[in-house]
Amino acid sequence: MKRCFQWRRAFLFLFLCLSAITATAQQAVKGKVTDAADGAALPGVNVTVPGTQAGAATDANGNFSITLPAGAASLRFSFVGYDAQTVAVGAQTTINVRLQAASKGLGEVVVVGYGTQTRRDLTGTVSQVKGADIRNLPVSDPAQAIQGRVTGVNIVRSDASPGTTPSIRIRGTGTINDAEPLIVIDGVPAGGLSDVNPNDIASMEILKDASASAIYGTRAANGVVLITTRKGNFGEKLRASVNVYRGVSDALRYVDLLTAPDLVMLKKERYANDGIAPNPVWNDPYYSVQRTDWQKAVLGTGHVTNADAQIRGGNAASNYLFSLGYYDEKGIIENSYFKRYTARINSEHKLGKRVKIGENLQLSLRQNQGFDTYSSQTGLLFSTLRFNPAIPVRNEDGSYGTGKASSELGDINNPVFTLETSDSRNKYYRMLANIYGELEIINGLKLRANGAFDGGLTDNYYFNPQVLDQTRVRDRAELSRESRSNSSLLGEIFLNFKRTFAAAHDIDVTGGYSVQTFKGDYYRAERRGYNDESPDQRVLDNGDILANINGNFDPDRALASGFVRAFYGYKGKYLLTLTFRADGSSRFSPDNRWGYFPAFSAGWRISEEKFMKDNLAFISNLKLTGGWGVLGNSNVADFQYLAPINKDRRYSFGGTAVTGIWNSRLANPDITWEKAKMTNVSLEAGFLENRLTTTVTWFVKNTTDMLVPAPEMDVHGRAGIPDRNIGELKNTGWEVEAGYRGNAGAFTYNISANASFIKNTVTRLYEPGTYIGSASYGRQQQEISRTYEGQPIASFFGWRTNGIYQTQDEINRDPALANDSRKTNIAPGDVRFVDQNNDGKIDEGDRVYLGSPNPDVVYGLQLGAEYKGFDFSASFSGVAGVKLYNADKMQGLDPTFPFNYYAEALNRWHGPGTSNTMPRMTTLNNNGNYRTSDRFVENGNYLSLRNVALGYTIPPSLWGNSGITGIRVYVACQNLFILTDYSGLNPELGYTDGNRQRGVDVATYPAARTFTFGASLNF
């Protein structure tokens, strides 16, 4: 019995010891994380145990609880926008932490190519936009959301139709060819942004200089945009969120046009001025009655709807995120729309202590329908601004109004008929998937392998009905179908070594190999003649005539690359980054296939010096950086070093017709990369504990070996001429940004502003006096833009004017017409053009530079505030020092055409002294009053309130224990107003002939103002 009692005592003692050990090994800690500035709870803060897989996240009220494994001595708290903090645990069971907001994220992690860095260690120029800042904006493309938010970046939309992909220009336009930046999504170079749900984005990094971008080598000359999508967190409880908003849109501006009575008056006047009897149609009282405002008939009310849901979470070994998104934008023009459906799965898993695998999968479907708003023959907006206002939308019998009664009414169709009978749909299916694995070989040395697939399938459908009761007839209905598939495979493997030695030397080295292949194919078929045009009969088999069929493979391409980047920091004060990449592309000949792209940058954190800390304590951060590097651009036509051979060419030999082959293009075996050499210097400063921050950057980017069309002197035949590497272009400028964050009790606020000052100059073309032309516009085929050596790219080029001839005596005495054969046909009321070369005549030799469509200044302003659950934000953007060419006004005021006119025509010259700006009404074009001239060059400066929102987060006490952790409701507006002197529909004009023509108004789809109401729920 005694022995049994002793055993019991021994087991009890052992149990108590084990319990104590277990309790020590699994110490439970709880607490709360708040903002050091205002005490507000911070949800979603990552709480981790350094050196282990244990982790947790704070809930909606900032609370956390975590069980520490044996031997754990500290907890690390990290959150986007705040400096990370590590706290010793000791015997504490409750730890409350106050996180300090980081100055421009000095302590936060920034994504760079093939890795990450803390912002304090960056020596390159990288701008970051957090996903939270652009969430729930009513935009179809994430690029639209960053307009005005990033210095040095200009977002340009060629038109405002739903789903239009905007152009992104980073530090100016760097080439006459494709100047779009490289887009990298979750580490995969992956084309455009339109397939990405903006609400899935965690952050966007814009790499602007050579040091930051050189690791992408040949594709980085135009900058790099890195997209990192949202993920779950290790140790995070299951969370869900739902975001929904609904909006309504209307036209932002209208153009003043003539009413029917005024139009008839001016039509008669033009005949009287020419001594011609007016056409009988203008004596018909029917056409003196105003029946239709065609802008109001075509530009109606649009709607936008967005809904997305997301679940995320994780345990000690895995994390995951799953999201679904739906975006539906119906434009302000009927039957124009854009829809996007998205699904995303991101996950990551730890296999033991040293192995990690993960995947990112994005599936998307885009659908859209739009209209031609560029043509000066059949463009929808062109027709809207020209169609006669006396004609009704529909006649009393229900048929569409038409201008067939007379050629004086123009050769355009009723625009409402066009938009209501149009039937076209475009679909694009895309899958972007990547899988990766990471092995930590030893502490600080990791091996990572990535594999990715990016595939898309395009399906386009166009049906044009038979048209017999409009001016422009179509004898047979037409149906065309197009299909295109494209895909790329990516394989990468690289090593990363990161270690700190002697608490002073920080080393971070990345090096690896990458290969990416591309392939695709397409077909197109068209049939005409449909006896039954019912929607269910609009298939190719039902067409009577096969009009066209073709298809082929796209040339297979490949890009192989090796890269290395090394970072060294000494005591956090002296920083150095070296980067090198070698690229080999199948686009170029074997002799020119490889390009080499070095870069370096250095930084000095002056604020870490003892003399700064001792004497200038109010300066919280001061860093000087500078760098140089070479980047490449391979966004050019494929295989220009070869001479393609086409079949089915007809020849005649001895009068006998034969069919053979031919070279459709000559070869240029010397063609190679375009290169951009960039130098920049930056000064970054923070004051008052980093509440006030500012950065100033100077840069110069020289593009060399720019591919331009080769001159065709003494060339006969029809074979195409390949491009040559002979152009050079320079962009120089300054970037300035500043921000301030503060609070007054529970009221917190922030303000930030940025501005970019950029000068663009073409420094070399063929030889002095030569130029690269651009597309002509209008019924008169007016050339508007030219690119000359010594001037900005795509400059306006035409005649300068000096008022209106008031009398015949002024014409007789004008030395500019002394030798002009047109002099006898010029009359009072015609435009006086300037004789630039003083040869006594007005001709091509008098055309001069009229202005640049490239803005001197691009700027933005952001405001934000929060107070007891209320939040407010506003984002402004604008440009200055820019000229626009109103080509539509040039066409819309020309009385030699049988259309309606701009209301400005009422200010025409109709006698001496009546006008010195608007010429007389005439049916003749003897003087070319409406040729390309400074009369249509306008100031394009504008300031737009891009986005403004007011939200309220409902207190948790109102929904109790329903499982909801947060509800926010808000109202917002996009494009609330735009301040500008420009007279057209929209001063935000884009590209109409690639980079060769910009800022030319051809009456494209106008901008809309959108009001939205939405709600976000977290569970």
Side-chain angles (χ1 to χ4, degrees), residues 542-728:
N542 289 343
D544 295 335
I545 301 171
L546 179 61
N548 182 40
I549 186 167
N550 60 71
N552 207 333
F553 293 103
D554 293 328
D556 289 351
R557 294 186 289 113
L559 180 71
S561 311
F563 55 88
V564 62
R565 179 181 59 223
F567 167 79
Y568 171 74
Y570 178 66
K571 291 187 176 181
K573 293 189 290 186
Y574 311 113
L575 315 170
L576 177 67
T577 303
L578 304 174
T579 308
F580 180 80
R581 177 159 174 146
D583 280 319
S585 172
S586 63
R587 277 180 160 158
F588 305 105
S589 70
D591 292 338
N592 296 303
R593 185 151 292 172
W594 286 90
Y596 304 97
F597 307 98
F600 73 88
S601 59
W604 178 25
R605 295 200 67 217
I606 306 171
S607 55
E608 293 301 300
E609 300 288 356
K610 187 176 184 302
F611 68 85
M612 289 291 295
K613 293 181 177 180
D614 292 345
N615 301 300
L616 298 170
F618 69 94
I619 300 179
S620 313
N621 173 55
L622 187 63
K623 182 170 71 172
L624 178 67
T625 61
W628 173 91
V630 180
L631 306 172
N633 179 26
S634 61
N635 293 337
V636 297
D638 291 322
F639 305 115
Q640 293 193 70
Y641 70 93
L642 299 174
I645 297 175
N646 288 17
K647 64 175 185 175
D648 298 332
R649 179 73 176 191
R650 294 182 180 180
Y651 296 91
S652 177
F653 291 98
T656 302
V658 297
T659 301
I661 61 175
W662 67 300
N663 288 117
S664 59
R665 185 186 65 214
L666 302 180
N668 176 8
D670 299 322
I671 196 167
T672 185
W673 319 88
E674 295 184 345
K675 300 177 182 66
K677 298 178 182 178
M678 187 180 297
T679 303
N680 56 268
V681 178
S682 295
L683 182 65
E684 178 182 319
F687 306 91
L688 307 175
E689 297 182 347
N690 289 320
R691 292 195 299 273
L692 173 63
T693 61
T694 184
T695 302
V696 178
T697 301
W698 170 85
F699 70 89
V700 57
K701 179 167 69 173
N702 284 299
T703 300
T704 61
D705 291 330
M706 184 171 67
L707 286 165
V708 299
E712 301 181 15
M713 298 178 293
D714 299 324
V715 173
H716 301 277
R718 300 180 63 181
I721 307 297
D723 294 338
R724 293 175 56 193
N725 295 97
I726 59 178
E728 296 182 5

Side-chain angles (χ1 to χ4, degrees), residues 780-989:
Q780 293 182 347
Q781 289 295 291
Q782 295 287 332
E783 184 191 31
I784 297 170
S785 303
R786 288 181 178 179
T787 297
Y788 274 93
E789 185 176 312
Q791 294 175 355
I793 192 171
S795 297
F796 305 135
F797 200 80
W799 287 269
R800 291 200 177 274
T801 60
N802 187 24
I804 304 293
Y805 289 115
Q806 300 295 319
T807 65
Q808 184 63 46
D809 184 60
E810 288 185 5
I811 298 172
N812 295 337
R813 291 188 296 105
D814 188 358
L817 301 179
N819 303 316
D820 199 321
S821 60
R822 303 174 306 111
K823 183 174 182 178
T824 57
N825 294 321
I826 298 174
D830 284 335
V831 176
R832 183 200 301 264
F833 293 100
V834 177
D835 182 14
Q836 297 286 345
N837 57 11
N838 298 313
D839 63 356
K841 58 183 177 181
I842 303 299
D843 57 15
E844 281 287 324
D846 297 309
R847 294 186 69 169
V848 294
Y849 169 81
L850 298 179
S852 171
N854 306 288
D856 293 335
V857 185
V858 178
Y859 61 91
L861 173 68
Q862 284 73 47
L863 306 174
E866 295 184 12
Y867 179 73
K868 293 185 178 180
F870 289 94
D871 62 87
F872 169 82
S873 64
S875 178
F876 297 82
S877 68
V879 299
V882 61
K883 298 297 183 182
L884 302 177
Y885 194 89
N886 199 333
D888 189 71
K889 179 188 286 189
M890 177 176 68
Q891 185 83 71
L893 286 171
D894 191 341
T896 65
F897 289 100
F899 305 124
N900 192 11
Y901 307 132
Y902 277 46
E904 289 180 48
L906 292 171
N907 300 323
R908 83 286 180 203
W909 183 95
H910 52 282
T914 55
S915 175
N916 199 37
T917 57
M918 190 70 60
R920 65 192 177 107
M921 301 299 294
T922 177
T923 63
L924 306 175
N925 192 33
N926 293 331
N927 190 45
N929 290 332
Y930 293 88
R931 68 179 79 185
T932 303
S933 72
D934 58 4
R935 293 184 56 221
F936 309 105
V937 176
E938 299 187 36
N939 183 340
N941 299 351
Y942 72 83
L943 169 64
S944 172
L945 178 48
R946 187 69 54 188
N947 294 287
V948 59
L950 177 65
Y952 179 67
T953 300
I954 301 174
S957 59
L958 296 183
W959 61 73
N961 298 320
S962 62
I964 299 174
T965 60
I967 299 178
R968 176 179 178 265
V969 294
Y970 61 91
V971 292
C973 182
Q974 183 186 38
N975 293 330
L976 182 60
F977 64 77
I978 187 164
L979 304 177
T980 182
D981 291 331
Y982 182 64
S983 64
L985 287 171
N986 183 14
E988 298 182 70
L989 301 178

Side-chain angles (χ1 to χ4, degrees), residues 387-523:
F387 210 58
N388 193 290
I391 300 175
V393 173
R394 287 182 179 270
N395 299 312
E396 292 182 358
D397 61 2
S399 62
Y400 288 98
T402 176
K404 291 186 68 174
S406 172
S407 61
E408 286 284 305
L409 302 176
D411 60 346
I412 51 180
N413 292 346
N414 181 328
V416 175
F417 165 83
T418 300
L419 66 88
E420 290 186 350
T421 58
S422 175
D423 182 14
S424 67
R425 347 183 242 282
N426 305 308
K427 296 182 180 180
Y428 181 65
Y429 304 84
R430 185 182 184 190
M431 180 173 76
L432 176 62
N434 75 300
I435 185 170
Y436 58 89
E438 185 176 278
L439 169 65
E440 186 175 21
I441 301 171
I442 58 174
N443 288 341
L445 178 62
K446 296 180 180 180
L447 174 68
R448 183 178 176 111
N450 296 332
F453 171 82
D454 184 11
L457 177 64
T458 302
D459 179 18
N460 296 334
Y461 165 100
Y462 306 97
F463 183 82
N464 296 311
Q466 182 185 49
V467 179
L468 300 177
D469 56 354
Q470 292 291 313
T471 303
R472 285 182 175 259
V473 299
R474 185 181 299 113
D475 295 331
R476 296 184 178 90
E478 304 168 346
L479 172 65
S480 66
R481 296 296 303 269
E482 298 177 1
S483 179
R484 175 177 288 275
S485 67
N486 57 81
S487 63
S488 73
L489 290 172
L490 172 72
E492 295 178 324
I493 187 167
F494 58 93
L495 283 166
N496 174 256
F497 178 71
K498 189 173 185 178
R499 186 75 66 84
T500 299
F501 296 95
H505 305 276
D506 296 315
I507 295 177
D508 188 345
V509 181
T510 299
Y513 176 78
S514 172
V515 62
Q516 189 167 12
T517 60
F518 306 84
K519 64 179 182 179
D521 60 76
Y522 67 93
Y523 83 84

